[in-house]
Amino acid sequence: MSGNTARAAPAAGAAADEAARHEAAADEPAVRIEGLDKHFGGVQALKGLSARIAYGRLTGLVGPDGAGKTSLMRILAGLLVPDAGRAIVAGLDVVADNDAVHVATGYMPQRFGLYEDLSVIENMRLYARLRGLDPRGHSALFDELLDFTRLAPFTSRLAGKLSGGMKQKLGLACALMARPRVLLLDEPGVGVDPVSRQDLWRMVQALTDDGMAVVWSTAYLDEAERCERVLLLDRGRLVFEGAPADLTAPLQARSWRLEEVGQGRRAVLAEALDLETVADGVIQGAGLRLVLRAEAQAQQVHDLAQRTGARLARVPPRFEDAFIDLLGGGPGGTSALAERLPPVALDSEVAVSCRHLTKRFGAFTATDDVSFDVRRGEIFGLLGPNGAGKSTTFKMLCGLLRPTQGEAHVAGVDLRRATGAAKARLGYMAQKFSLYGLLSVQQNLEFSAGVYGLQGHTRRERIAEMIETFDLGPWLSAAPESLPLGHRQRLALACALMHRPPVLFLDEPTSGVDPITRREFWTHINGLARKGVTVMVTTHFMDEAEYCDRVAMLYRARLIALDTPDALKRGASSPARPDPTMEDAFIHLVQSADLAEEMAA
């Protein structure tokens, strides 16, 4: 950590502690995994897994849905017993020395167990007691953790009222309570905006600089690329161990970009992904990024560029390119769901519009004077830090919240006068699954069909279509909570699309799912847009923002930017950063808004 944003790591404590860390680092690895197996009934989560993790290093744990990442994390934290093999953490056997392992490790699970009706400081005191510490005798530790996580101004705020990024920081503070030697973070970046993720990265960097071993499980491959080493799992097996650059190096001649493809880029992407020589492809602003298969020639891609009038350029490979390639490539470019859908017809070219949309909750303004139009068949992204007002704006446009001021129209229907009629013409996939836990997968599908008025043959046909499209057949009698995350998201999307709405609202639809599943979702989304479906989407994946035709940026409840992804990136360019990413653009917009507010004050 450097600059005026730096904080001293809590692990810096006493000189004796630091000396002990360095001695341990010299003598043994932080984690030694030897032939781990773990079964859950007939499912084998881990198969003969062996690896080593060093002190003073950030190690990424990466893999698709169901790869075994969380099972491995829970074994290392002493919460699961392996069926075979062993794991040594900080010199302790996770089974034989289980109590000591809990002291030597800090574990932050995917769904951190914060008590939302307790304040920040009350949560910290509770976790101190759980770790065997007397909160009254550790005020200096509390002050250190609050300063480190920048939560000192918010000690009296209820955990349930924190933004996603602040909840993760509080979770990190609780995980660090006993000064662990090994810190296990299970997808800490999920649902966190780029500004808050940068804070998490700075904190973790300080911890590793102090000698702590940090294992960061992630579905964000740009995060994996920033780790010193990665362990890549697939179906419970270790398929790669090493520096990210070692995995990307073989793709130097296989990563390409089609420049200036323009308005037809979704159709061109679908064509490219169906080429036998192309392993993967995604939209990047007005262009496409393509990855060739091993040993494939670039002739088909050259021919595609010539047919479409695009310019072809070789680009440096990313870790994501190598990850998808290692797993056999992406899901292809044709959406079976969209192929069945007839073209959407609307009376107006504007599918969604809002004017001076404002929502207040008491003295708090969640959305402040927001206006924009979304065209028919457009994919429109809504970005912003946690708590910026994205979900509130979504809920007003879906008729789930009544605006304090302003008006909104969806598919030609005024939401002030005909909320029911508007709901029948839109699909909504909520940020937190809009599924019913007491109903099975089959019953959720049946219920959604009934809510949207589907009857008889049409009802049976649509349900069968969703089961086939989203591969839900093996899970029909299961409860949604028992499904892997990717299948839960598929079920939620199936329920939102059951009635073939002309407008689709997706609130962080791919949060936490692996890159293969994200590509599958976007194949469907791109296909729907080509049929004229209007899609509004919120996301914290900045590469997904690139897939949008235009992006609106909310910050502190107000609209601060609205343009194409390429235009927003150009606005963030500088001599030091001539080719900025969408994450750079996001942070630039937030910092510019803060600076403008300071100057106005």
Side-chain angles (χ1 to χ4, degrees):
M1 294 172 60
S2 61
N4 58 13
T5 60
R7 295 288 190 276
D17 290 342
E18 187 173 349
R21 289 179 190 279
H22 290 300
E23 183 179 349
D27 292 342
E28 62 180 10
V31 177
R32 190 166 75 249
I33 302 165
E34 299 175 347
L36 276 189
D37 280 4
K38 183 62 186 176
H39 298 80
F40 296 97
V43 177
Q44 188 163 13
L46 297 173
K47 303 177 184 179
L49 187 67
S50 297
R52 293 194 171 203
I53 294 169
Y55 284 105
R57 177 177 288 170
L58 175 60
T59 300
L61 186 60
V62 191
D65 228 16
K69 303 187 297 297
T70 296
S71 296
L72 178 58
M73 283 286 206
R74 290 176 62 80
I75 288 173
L76 297 182
L79 301 176
L80 273 181
V81 176
D83 296 318
R86 66 173 186 160
I88 308 298
V89 179
L92 303 165
D93 187 289
V94 296
V95 177
D97 307 310
N98 191 261
D99 289 342
V101 166
H102 294 315
V103 176
T105 60
Y107 176 51
M108 183 174 158
Q110 284 183 31
R111 296 177 182 175
F112 197 80
L114 297 173
Y115 292 85
E116 297 204 341
D117 54 348
L118 297 182
S119 68
V120 167
I121 195 65
E122 287 168 341
N123 268 281
M124 291 180 66
R125 287 171 182 156
L126 174 61
Y127 275 87
R129 293 190 184 98
L130 292 174
R131 299 303 295 262
L133 304 175
D134 182 354
R136 293 169 297 181
H138 288 80
S139 58
L141 172 61
F142 277 41
D143 290 343
E144 198 176 350
L145 288 169
L146 288 167
D147 179 62
F148 181 62
T149 56
R150 304 180 185 176
L151 290 174
F154 309 103
T155 53
S156 61
R157 183 175 295 184
L158 294 179
K161 300 295 184 182
L162 298 175
S163 70
M166 292 172 73
K167 285 180 180 178
Q168 295 297 70
K169 292 176 187 177
L170 176 56
L172 183 59
C174 293
L176 291 171
M177 193 65 68
R179 300 186 187 277
R181 296 169 64 189
V182 178
L183 181 62
L184 306 169
L185 305 177
D186 198 355
E187 302 202 11
V190 169
V192 176
D193 66 78
V195 175
S196 297
R197 276 207 289 161
Q198 279 208 335
D199 276 346
L200 286 173
W201 277 109
R202 281 194 288 265
M203 287 185 277
V204 167
Q205 185 63 58
L207 296 170
T208 56
D209 286 349
D210 189 54
M212 187 181 293
V214 179
V215 183
W216 181 304
S217 170
T218 182
Y220 293 81
L221 295 186
D222 61 326
E223 290 183 347
E225 198 159 20
R226 295 169 66 173
C227 296
E228 293 175 73
R229 291 181 69 80
V230 294
L231 305 179
L232 203 162
L233 305 184
D234 184 32
R235 300 174 191 173
R237 297 185 183 277
L238 182 67
V239 295
F240 175 80
E241 178 180 6
D246 293 342
L247 189 63
T248 60
L251 275 79
Q252 287 294 339
R254 293 166 52 195
S255 295
W256 297 81
R257 179 176 163 86
L258 281 177
E259 306 278 0
E260 300 170 6
V261 181
Q263 293 298 315
R265 64 195 184 284
R266 292 192 179 93
V268 176
L269 176 62
E271 185 179 350
L273 290 174
D274 287 337
L275 295 174
E276 61 182 14
T277 55
V278 174
D280 185 37
V282 294
I283 290 173
Q284 279 193 331
L288 305 177
R289 184 185 185 90
L290 304 175
V291 179
L292 299 183
R293 296 192 183 277
E295 310 300 328
Q297 300 299 312
Q299 188 58 51
Q300 286 187 325
V301 174
H302 280 284
D303 293 343
L304 179 63
Q306 189 171 20
R307 285 199 307 275
T308 57
R311 183 167 57 87
L312 187 63
R314 189 173 289 173
V315 291
R318 304 178 303 182
F319 185 79
E320 183 158 336
D321 298 341
F323 177 96
I324 300 294
D325 180 68
L326 186 64
L327 297 181
T334 301
S335 165
L337 180 68
E339 289 296 303
R340 296 188 178 104
L341 190 72
V344 170
L346 289 176
D347 294 336
S348 169
E349 280 301 304
V350 176
V352 179
S353 68
C354 59
R355 294 289 177 270
H356 310 294
L357 208 57
T358 301
K359 182 63 181 179
R360 299 188 187 93
F361 297 95
F364 175 70
T365 301
T367 302
D368 188 6
D369 195 31
V370 170
S371 300
F372 56 75
D373 291 332
V374 184
R375 297 184 291 269
R376 181 180 66 85
E378 184 175 19
I379 298 180
F380 188 91
L382 204 57
L383 304 186
N386 295 109
K390 304 184 299 297
S391 292
T392 300
T393 301
F394 251 45
K395 288 175 182 175
M396 286 190 285
L397 291 173
C398 292
L400 299 176
L401 278 179
R402 185 178 293 275
T404 306
Q405 292 174 220
E407 61 183 52
H409 293 77
V410 175
V413 179
D414 188 336
L415 287 174
R416 295 174 299 177
R417 298 182 174 86
T419 302
K423 287 179 182 176
R425 306 208 69 194
L426 61 86
Y428 175 54
M429 181 176 166
Q431 187 176 21
K432 294 181 179 177
F433 310 113
S434 48
L435 300 172
Y436 294 89
L438 296 178
L439 302 181
S440 68
V441 168
Q442 177 78 43
Q443 289 167 334
N444 268 277
L445 293 169
E446 297 279 358
F447 180 79
S448 295
V451 165
Y452 290 119
L454 301 179
Q455 299 295 330
H457 174 73
T458 300
R459 177 192 184 109
R460 292 190 296 274
E461 183 181 67
R462 297 284 177 81
I463 291 173
E465 179 181 298
M466 293 303 168
I467 292 171
E468 179 185 353
T469 300
F470 293 105
D471 191 26
L472 296 173
W475 308 94
L476 293 179
S477 61
E481 287 81 2
S482 68
L483 270 61
L485 177 60
H487 279 81
R488 263 182 283 164
Q489 293 286 57
R490 289 184 180 108
L491 175 59
L493 183 58
C495 291
L497 288 170
M498 184 76 66
H499 58 305
R500 296 182 173 176
V503 179
L504 182 61
F505 290 84
L506 303 174
D507 198 358
E508 297 191 29
T510 61
S511 181
V513 303
D514 64 81
I516 297 288
T517 305
R518 283 208 302 276
R519 277 159 171 72
E520 176 194 320
F521 267 52
W522 278 96
T523 293
H524 293 310
I525 293 168
N526 288 330
L528 292 169
R530 291 175 62 196
K531 286 296 184 79
V533 176
T534 303
V535 182
M536 289 193 64
V537 60
T538 70
T539 181
H540 286 312
F541 286 95
M542 291 299 101
D543 60 335
E544 287 189 347
E546 298 259 24
Y547 305 168
C548 300
D549 296 295
R550 289 185 301 151
V551 169
M553 177 81 172
L554 291 179
Y555 182 50
R556 294 180 178 172
R558 298 187 66 87
L559 183 65
I560 63 171
L562 174 56
D563 215 325
T564 65
D566 285 345
L568 294 177
K569 287 187 292 184
R570 284 194 298 270
S573 65
S574 66
R577 202 184 299 273
D579 188 22
T581 64
M582 270 304 296
E583 182 157 321
D584 296 330
F586 183 108
I587 294 168
H588 169 76
L589 288 167
V590 169
Q591 292 175 340
S592 297
D594 285 340
L595 181 60
E597 188 171 306
E598 289 175 14
M599 294 178 66

